[in-house]
Amino acid sequence: MGSHGIKAEVKGLLQVLPPVDFCFLYGSALHPNNHDKSKAIDFILGVSKPLEWHTQITGVADRIGVGVHFNPYVNWSDKMFKYGVVRLHDLINDILDWERFYLSGRLQKPVHILVDTLNLEDVNSVNLRATVSASLLLLPTKFSEEDLYAKICSLSYTGDLRMLFAEDRDKVKKIVRGQFDIFHSMYKPFLEEYKAKELLRSSSSSNHQGNIISQDCSLSAAYALVSSLPQTIRSQIAMKLGGGNVHELAISSREEAAKCMQKILKRKVMVSSARQAVSGLLAVGAVNGMRYLARKMRKAWKS
């Protein structure tokens, strides 16, 4: 089933669910090179009143998890679905501020948006710009376009406990190479913006890795990149590097700022992935939770 068929399947399911304000599809089922038709179709639902939408399970997601409840085994029309439900307020906070760095991480990768009553796709441009800045801080002076997308993709996996034993070890490489053109179209406006600011330069390349990009690695360029990060991240960097003064960000070296930011993001991902794992087990029950985890582990062991 191609992406159009999958979209149609989910649109059909949405017809029998309560109204939602935002819905996006993600995951390997949408991968152009995916041939496993047994894979569940993954999607996230943004709703304004999750207590009314999903009364029994929202409390677990709020108290223990990261505000998202996943139901991994939904059979409808002879197809398996996995959906997550999130309060719109929490979704927007994560997109703009990387509060949990959970759903914002998913939206940094290619997704298919089916419902968007609040124009959150435009809001997500803030997330994408910040992701470019964070990735550039962690890359060397010269790198390929594929290197950039791989770094972008890996940001939200660094520190994820599932990557230790329950995920495909080549996941990032497969995501980027399988959807290179989509990454290019997603991030081209921000690369052009940074070229206009003389933070980046690129030269065409004939290989599969895309253009070769070089960046300004001066302290002033590093400050410009850090300034494009979400306020919560900038404040944490300032506290760690500036002696607690969150209003005055002092960077003495690019490497120091990059290392500090990486530690902050890694901790966010680690905490979020652990909390979400516990929340998921409590919400869907031990049997379904272990079934889902076992499937992930088999996939990791085969990679």
Side-chain angles (χ1 to χ4, degrees):
M1 183 187 300
S3 62
H4 292 295
I6 291 173
K7 290 178 188 178
E9 290 272 4
V10 176
K11 284 181 178 178
L13 179 57
L14 289 176
Q15 296 298 315
V16 301
L17 294 176
V20 302
D21 295 292
F22 186 68
C23 171
F24 70 87
L25 309 181
Y26 68 95
S28 54
L30 291 174
H31 196 294
N33 297 327
N34 174 54
H35 302 294
D36 185 354
K37 307 308 178 188
S38 66
K39 286 183 180 294
I41 297 172
D42 302 313
F43 59 101
I44 296 291
L45 303 173
V47 301
S48 56
K49 297 179 180 179
L51 277 172
E52 295 178 11
W53 205 96
H54 227 312
T55 305
Q56 294 182 351
I57 48 74
T58 301
V60 174
D62 285 344
R63 292 193 305 272
I64 299 174
V66 293
V68 189
H69 166 73
F70 283 100
N71 190 345
Y73 294 105
V74 178
N75 283 293
W76 185 81
S77 189
D78 298 322
K79 190 69 183 175
M80 184 78 76
F81 295 85
K82 183 184 86 176
Y83 69 81
V85 182
V86 61
R87 183 183 290 107
L88 280 171
H89 173 77
D90 295 337
L91 173 61
I92 292 170
N93 274 353
D94 203 35
I95 289 174
L96 295 178
D97 295 329
W98 292 0
E99 186 175 334
R100 302 286 193 183
F101 207 56
Y102 190 77
L103 292 177
S104 54
R106 294 195 184 278
L107 287 167
Q108 290 162 5
K109 307 174 192 67
V111 300
H112 290 286
I113 296 175
L114 292 183
V115 179
D116 191 6
T117 63
L118 300 178
N119 208 19
L120 293 187
E121 186 171 14
D122 283 348
V123 175
N124 193 51
S125 64
V126 176
N127 178 30
L128 299 184
R129 181 182 290 104
T131 305
V132 172
S133 295
S135 300
L136 289 175
L137 278 171
L138 299 172
L139 286 165
T141 304
K142 187 173 289 188
F143 51 90
S144 70
E145 205 173 341
E146 184 180 289
D147 293 334
L148 172 62
Y149 302 148
K151 184 62 68 177
I152 286 171
C153 192
S154 67
L155 284 180
S156 58
Y157 290 133
T158 304
D160 191 330
L161 299 180
R162 296 171 302 172
M163 297 301 289
L164 297 177
F165 63 95
E167 286 287 358
D168 186 341
R169 294 178 183 85
D170 294 323
K171 185 167 188 170
V172 168
K173 184 188 298 182
K174 289 177 180 177
I175 290 173
V176 173
R177 291 191 173 175
Q179 303 178 85
F180 184 91
D181 290 342
I182 304 176
F183 273 102
H184 178 79
S185 63
M186 283 176 66
Y187 287 100
K188 183 179 179 180
F190 308 104
L191 296 182
E192 294 298 328
E193 176 186 327
Y194 282 17
K195 287 176 189 176
K197 294 178 179 178
E198 299 186 346
L199 294 173
L200 298 178
R201 295 180 302 279
S202 67
S203 57
S204 59
S205 173
S206 59
N207 63 32
H208 68 276
Q209 293 185 315
N211 293 333
I212 299 299
I213 302 171
S214 57
Q215 65 170 322
D216 181 353
C217 287
S218 67
L219 194 58
S220 61
Y223 187 85
L225 294 177
V226 172
S227 297
S228 296
L229 298 176
Q231 176 61 46
T232 53
I233 305 300
R234 296 201 309 270
S235 295
Q236 290 179 59
I237 292 175
M239 289 179 66
K240 292 179 179 297
L241 299 184
N245 186 351
V246 298
H247 301 293
E248 187 174 332
L249 182 57
I251 300 175
S252 59
S253 76
R254 179 190 179 91
E255 293 73 19
E256 181 184 53
K259 188 177 295 185
C260 182
M261 178 202 67
Q262 190 172 40
K263 286 182 178 179
I264 291 169
L265 294 182
K266 183 176 182 179
R267 176 166 177 76
K268 278 183 175 290
V269 174
M270 187 178 296
V271 171
S272 291
S273 64
R275 290 181 59 151
Q276 193 60 38
V278 173
S279 170
L281 287 173
L282 292 175
V284 305
V287 174
N288 275 342
M290 291 307 295
R291 179 183 170 193
Y292 179 67
L293 182 59
R295 184 169 64 84
K296 286 284 191 180
M297 292 180 70
R298 281 197 300 271
K299 183 178 176 182
W301 291 335
K302 289 178 180 177
S303 66

